[in-house]
Amino acid sequence: MTPQRLICSSISSVYAKLAVALLLVLPALAAPARMQAQSKLFSVAKDSIPLFNGFSVSFDLIGAAMRVMSDYGEYEGALRLNLHNQYFPVVEVGYGSANHERDEVTGLSYKTQAPYFRLGCDLNLLKNKNTPNRLYGGIRYAFTSYKADIWREDTADPVWGDITSFRMEGESCSQHWMEIVFGLDAKLWGPLHAGWAVRYKRRLTHQDGAAGNVWYVPGYGRSGDTRISANFNVIIDI
């Protein structure tokens, strides 16, 4: 073999060894990058907001104003937890009362007062949940147990002239109902918020005692299968 052929053969052998080494090394170098890309693809971004992000207390002004200006209404407060600024478990407690004298249609008077309770959760509907304002929808389960007094004053029978009266005291009543809530909270200053909430109420079960349909149910409002109401809340974030 000539010196020229020997040199060419040596060079070819070196290139062949380099090619084999590259074929072995490149997949090993590419594997970590491939694994890193896959981990980024399937990883869940960590939420910058903590799971427990405080709580708030609120008070409804509409129910209190109705109780002062009309013959029925409620005093109501709520405690709401803040989870990730996204979910808001809530407990609402109130005290409803009515003193309705001499109904124009039936001539009956009605009186009751009792606490009521609601339990549910709200969901922040805004795309950017980090803003201090909130648009939310939610659901509630509600319950009340109360006693009612129903009576009619002495009335002369228009035909026979006899004096008749009617009185039932301490009739035991109860009601369970569901609510769908849609509301808006806006920040006013510091931890102080204010907001509206609209509620669609659907009666589930009820026990009205011997008197039949009662005139008012604490926390629910005027008696009936469905009802729509509104709240104006003053809210303090803590």
Side-chain angles (χ1 to χ4, degrees):
M1 180 178 295
T2 64
Q4 186 177 2
R5 287 187 179 181
L6 182 60
I7 293 173
C8 291
S9 177
S10 299
I11 293 173
S12 299
S13 177
V14 170
Y15 281 142
K17 291 179 180 180
L18 287 175
V20 172
L22 287 175
L23 289 175
L24 294 175
V25 171
L26 285 178
L29 294 176
R34 205 164 45 240
M35 293 177 61
Q36 187 176 4
Q38 290 176 351
S39 65
K40 288 183 178 179
L41 180 63
F42 293 104
S43 65
V44 178
K46 186 178 179 180
D47 200 326
S48 60
I49 300 175
L51 173 62
F52 178 70
N53 197 35
F55 61 93
S56 64
V57 293
S58 63
F59 306 93
D60 173 45
L61 299 184
I62 290 183
M66 287 184 62
R67 188 64 193 95
V68 172
M69 297 184 293
S70 70
D71 49 5
Y72 73 95
E74 301 91 21
Y75 300 101
E76 180 181 310
L79 174 66
R80 186 166 62 176
L81 301 181
N82 184 338
L83 304 181
H84 280 318
N85 232 14
Q86 185 86 54
Y87 306 100
F88 299 87
V90 59
V91 176
E92 298 170 341
V93 180
Y95 194 84
S97 61
N99 189 2
H100 180 64
E101 296 185 358
R102 213 170 164 78
D103 189 86
E104 294 180 359
V105 177
T106 64
L108 295 173
S109 298
Y110 178 85
K111 186 175 182 180
T112 188
Q113 53 185 358
Y116 59 91
F117 309 91
R118 300 193 194 100
L119 180 65
C121 187
D122 294 330
L123 173 66
N124 190 353
L125 301 177
L126 292 179
K127 185 176 181 180
N128 182 9
K129 65 180 182 179
N130 297 321
T131 64
N133 305 319
R134 304 184 187 107
L135 178 70
Y136 62 88
I139 191 169
R140 305 282 190 277
Y141 162 75
F143 168 77
T144 185
S145 179
Y146 60 102
K147 295 184 180 296
D149 297 337
I150 306 171
W151 72 95
R152 182 170 57 207
E153 301 296 343
D154 293 346
T155 305
D157 189 284
V159 177
W160 305 104
D162 297 336
I163 302 298
T164 62
S165 62
F166 170 81
R167 180 171 291 272
M168 300 180 68
E169 295 184 350
E171 281 296 303
S172 295
C173 308
S174 63
Q175 181 163 302
H176 301 255
W177 71 96
M178 297 293 293
E179 297 183 4
I180 297 175
V181 184
F182 182 79
L184 172 67
D185 292 350
K187 182 176 180 178
L188 299 180
W189 174 81
L192 184 63
H193 290 241
W196 286 94
V198 178
R199 300 171 181 264
Y200 172 78
K201 305 178 181 181
R202 179 71 179 180
R203 187 165 62 181
L204 299 176
T205 63
H206 63 102
Q207 174 60 47
D208 292 339
N213 288 332
V214 296
W215 186 79
Y216 166 83
V217 178
Y220 183 82
R222 296 283 296 275
S223 181
D225 289 336
T226 61
R227 184 166 179 81
I228 296 177
S229 66
N231 301 94
F232 182 77
N233 299 309
V234 175
I235 306 152
I236 302 174
D237 283 343
I238 300 175

